[in-house]
Amino acid sequence: MITEAAAWGIIGLPLASFVLISFVIRPLLGATRLSGYVTVAAMAGSLALSVWALGSVTGEEGAIGFESHSWLTIGAPGGGLSFDLQIGILLDSLTAIMLIVVTGVSLMVQVYSQGYMRGDASYSRYFAYMSLFTASMLGLVLSRNLIQLFAFWELVGLSSYLLIGFWHDRPAAAAAAKKAFLVTRIGDFGFLLALLYIFYNRGTFAANGLNPFDIPDIHVAAGILGTGVVTWIAVGLFAGAMGKSAQFPLHTWLPDAMEGPTPVSSLIHAATMVAAGVFLVARMFPLFEHSAVAMNIVAIIGGFTAIFAASMALVSNDIKRVLAYSTVSQLGYMMLALGVGAPVVAMFHLFTHAFFKCLLFLGAGSVNHATGTFDMRYMGGLRKAMPITYVTTLIAGLSLAGILPLAGFWSKEAVLAAALNGEHAASGGVSALVFWMALAAVLITSFYIFRLIFMTFHGEFRGGVDVQPEVERSPGEHHVHLAESPLVMWLPMAVLALAAVGAGFLANPTFNFVGIPAHAFSEFLHEEAGDVNWVLAVASTVVALGGILLAALMYQTKQVSPKDWVRATGPVYRILSQRYYMDQLYEGFIVRRVLYGGLFRITAWFDERVVDGLVDLAGWSARSSGRALSMLQTGQIQAYGAGISVGVIAILVAYLTQQ
């Protein structure tokens, strides 16, 4: 069984890589390739320890009970107001699966980055940030205490800010980093309120011998706390998850986050930041399932996000933004599954999605490496020059579309079946509603991903960056050189392609060749996933094939003109291309008019006229009274004598009057 020291080492290795690169390698050696090697070695070590952890959990058939450690005591020990803040590791099968996802995907991304970031002036800084990013996510996954989890949660936000704005000399990158940081902070405010509400109700925990922030104790307390308390805590936690996992209406930051290096996008979308929200809801699922209101909120927002985000991918021409909208949509699928009471299925889809979505982003980086652009309108015909990139991207695209027997088919079918069956008793008609949303998203998903494949790899090459109008570009190579990416880039893609094919068999009860229990994605449920619903699977596959066929007719055979569709759906196209005007709503109306033009103007007036006025009045009063009193201090002895005489006479008169 894995030791506690080894479990802490899963976090410690990438954290040590960050410290070594930041304080030794970068200051002394600069942009050396040693930084990349150190990061890859740290990721490989963490992956090895994560495999050990998975084997230990599977062998123990449950969580490994490491003791918590007291970190900070507030108030006198044993007093009524005292509070003991503890840290520790919670290692169960949910944790173990997430560790494999994070370390495995991160290792592939770090190896790929050796080629993608070669020649960048900030090469060492890049790998330092990536090490910190991975360490933060691993710390989040392993946390036993909710405050400890929140600390790593915020470190993930900081790391994403640094990486999205990595090329900070570009205004677009700096703006995207600030946007991601601010939007996710809105959700984190809800998370913080949930923590405060838990603290407010700490008496209920203490009366039952429970720690209010220990995650297993919160699971136990879910049945003790009132329904209203549970609902408010769950909704607050879900607000944080909405920000991190880019759920409507806090989704607007994720498409703009594409301004960072492509491997960063791959890591954010596959295994780290956006997966954190889904993981949080899954981790706290025993709390959520005690509130029908919270469950329905999660299901409805997840189902709506799935179809809402997919629709925006239909018209985007930037290959990374298409994939960004795809990620938001797939995260909606995961939230949908959680909301209808199927956390095992949600984590299964997160597991498979991590591999094929990481592969899709690395494929986007590979074609950018050859063409110098991310605009699909200037690509085309790349399957001849880049056969490995084409095949691996095609595998990932088929998996995303949910085509048998690839990984995405099994997890997508499981999500649809969970929604159709209504796994949670309180879901009622919500399950049916989100099922049809998810099924519609299947059609849209298969269309936009094959639109991407046809525009990028089929037809004739359209010139790349050499003919593209001048736009702001990332530093690095900007000239067309049509050739396959180097081995260090396509080898991780090949490994991920194998995972995109085979990952679906790992926890599938019908085709489980490896022997991992079907409940291994969420040990606290102890429920086996049901057999595949083949009627539903065939129906959803037909829907997906319909989307692929429509994409082929429009972008491969040209039998249907995309321009005619744009003209016929003009208003709809404009709404989709403007992302439903959500940015205009937030920045143009809420920020500039409601906040700056209204609330902030009122508060500024109150601050300037009332607060500053009171301060100025106090200063004026002190100055004026001092000036008046200073008139009495003339330095003339005769004046002082006269004042004393007047005072004596006044006292004498008062005394005689009283007599």
Side-chain angles (χ1 to χ4, degrees), residues 10-91:
I10 298 173
I11 310 171
L13 286 174
L15 188 59
S17 171
F18 165 72
V19 172
L20 181 60
I21 295 171
S22 299
F23 298 103
V24 179
I25 296 176
R26 185 167 179 256
L28 299 180
L29 303 177
T32 172
R33 294 185 63 81
L34 179 61
S35 301
Y37 300 148
V38 168
T39 303
V40 170
M43 292 304 110
S46 289
L47 176 59
L49 292 174
S50 298
V51 172
W52 186 10
L54 178 63
S56 299
V57 169
T58 304
E60 292 290 319
E61 296 183 356
I64 297 177
F66 295 128
E67 293 293 329
S68 294
H69 306 279
S70 180
W71 177 55
L72 180 66
T73 300
I74 301 173
L81 297 178
S82 68
F83 173 68
D84 185 25
L85 179 59
Q86 298 181 333
I87 60 173
I89 284 180
L90 177 58
L91 185 54

Side-chain angles (χ1 to χ4, degrees), residues 226-244:
T227 303
V229 174
V230 170
T231 297
W232 282 113
I233 294 173
V235 169
L237 294 174
F238 182 58
M242 287 171 62
K244 278 288 190 290

Side-chain angles (χ1 to χ4, degrees), residues 197-220:
Y197 200 40
I198 291 174
F199 184 74
Y200 178 78
N201 288 276
R202 66 191 183 281
T204 304
F205 287 85
N208 292 275
L210 303 173
N211 186 307
F213 292 108
D214 188 79
I215 292 174
D217 284 359
I218 295 174
H219 293 172
V220 174

Side-chain angles (χ1 to χ4, degrees), residues 295-306:
M295 292 288 286
N296 288 335
I297 289 174
V298 174
I300 291 172
I301 289 181
F304 179 76
T305 302

Side-chain angles (χ1 to χ4, degrees), residues 81-161:
L81 297 178
S82 68
F83 173 68
D84 185 25
L85 179 59
Q86 298 181 333
I87 60 173
I89 284 180
L90 177 58
L91 185 54
D92 58 8
S93 54
L94 176 62
T95 302
I97 289 295
M98 282 298 298
L99 291 177
I100 295 295
V101 170
V102 176
T103 56
V105 169
S106 182
L107 177 60
M108 294 299 101
V109 170
Q110 308 313 330
V111 172
Y112 178 94
S113 298
Q114 308 286 311
Y116 190 87
M117 296 300 294
R118 179 177 297 178
D120 193 286
S122 299
Y123 186 88
S124 292
R125 178 167 61 91
Y126 169 85
F127 282 101
Y129 288 170
M130 290 290 261
S131 297
L132 178 63
F133 196 13
T134 306
S136 301
M137 185 63 190
L138 291 171
L140 186 158
V141 168
L142 282 163
S143 293
R144 182 184 182 88
N145 185 285
L146 207 54
I147 294 181
Q148 177 188 349
L149 187 152
F150 184 71
F152 282 110
W153 182 275
E154 293 302 314
L155 276 175
V156 168
L158 170 64
S159 303
S160 65
Y161 169 79

Side-chain angles (χ1 to χ4, degrees), residues 190-481:
F191 194 160
L192 184 58
L193 289 178
L195 293 178
L196 293 174
Y197 200 40
I198 291 174
F199 184 74
Y200 178 78
N201 288 276
R202 66 191 183 281
T204 304
F205 287 85
N208 292 275
L210 303 173
N211 186 307
F213 292 108
D214 188 79
I215 292 174
D217 284 359
I218 295 174
H219 293 172
V220 174
I224 302 171
L225 298 169
T227 303
V229 174
V230 170
T231 297
W232 282 113
I233 294 173
V235 169
L237 294 174
F238 182 58
M242 287 171 62
K244 278 288 190 290
S245 290
Q247 296 296 282
F248 176 87
L250 300 181
H251 65 281
T252 55
W253 68 269
L254 195 55
D256 291 342
M258 300 302 96
E259 295 294 337
T262 301
V264 171
S265 303
S266 181
L267 193 57
I268 288 176
H269 286 251
T272 51
M273 185 170 181
V274 298
V278 176
F279 170 79
L280 176 65
V281 178
R283 170 60 79 207
M284 305 304 296
F285 185 78
L287 180 76
F288 277 81
E289 66 178 346
H290 279 82
S291 170
V293 173
M295 292 288 286
N296 288 335
I297 289 174
V298 174
I300 291 172
I301 289 181
F304 179 76
T305 302
I307 190 170
F308 176 79
S311 66
M312 291 184 282
L314 293 172
V315 299
S316 180
N317 293 313
D318 185 298
I319 188 171
K320 286 173 65 176
R321 278 179 168 77
V322 172
L323 298 177
Y325 293 126
S326 173
T327 298
V328 178
S329 178
Q330 297 302 305
L331 291 167
Y333 271 97
M334 300 169 204
M335 290 297 187
L336 179 161
L338 288 165
V340 299
V344 175
V345 170
M347 295 307 299
F348 185 23
H349 193 50
L350 185 151
F351 179 72
T352 61
H353 173 266
F355 300 115
F356 62 72
K357 184 52 60 68
C358 180
L359 176 54
L360 284 168
F361 270 103
L362 297 188
S366 183
V367 297
N368 170 256
H369 192 261
T371 63
T373 182
F374 289 108
D375 194 324
M376 297 184 296
R377 293 172 296 183
Y378 300 95
M379 297 183 187
L382 297 180
R383 63 193 176 111
K384 301 172 184 175
M386 310 180 72
I388 298 176
T389 299
Y390 171 66
V391 170
T392 54
T393 303
L394 179 62
I395 290 172
L398 289 168
S399 189
L400 173 61
I403 303 302
L404 184 72
L406 303 180
F409 167 82
W410 303 110
S411 57
K412 177 209 69 176
E413 186 279 331
V415 172
L416 292 172
L420 183 64
N421 297 334
E423 303 283 340
H424 194 264
S427 60
V430 171
S431 290
L433 174 64
V434 297
F435 166 77
W436 290 108
M437 289 180 177
L439 191 61
V442 170
L443 176 67
I444 301 173
T445 300
S446 58
F447 176 82
Y448 71 64
I449 194 60
F450 272 84
R451 171 180 177 263
L452 180 153
I453 290 172
F454 290 136
M455 290 182 69
T456 302
F457 294 100
H458 290 246
E460 298 298 325
F461 182 60
R462 294 182 289 276
V465 74
D466 288 347
V467 300
Q468 185 177 0
E470 187 61 33
V471 293
E472 186 180 32
R473 310 190 212 283
S474 303
E477 183 62 62
H478 297 316
H479 299 290
V480 173
H481 55 291

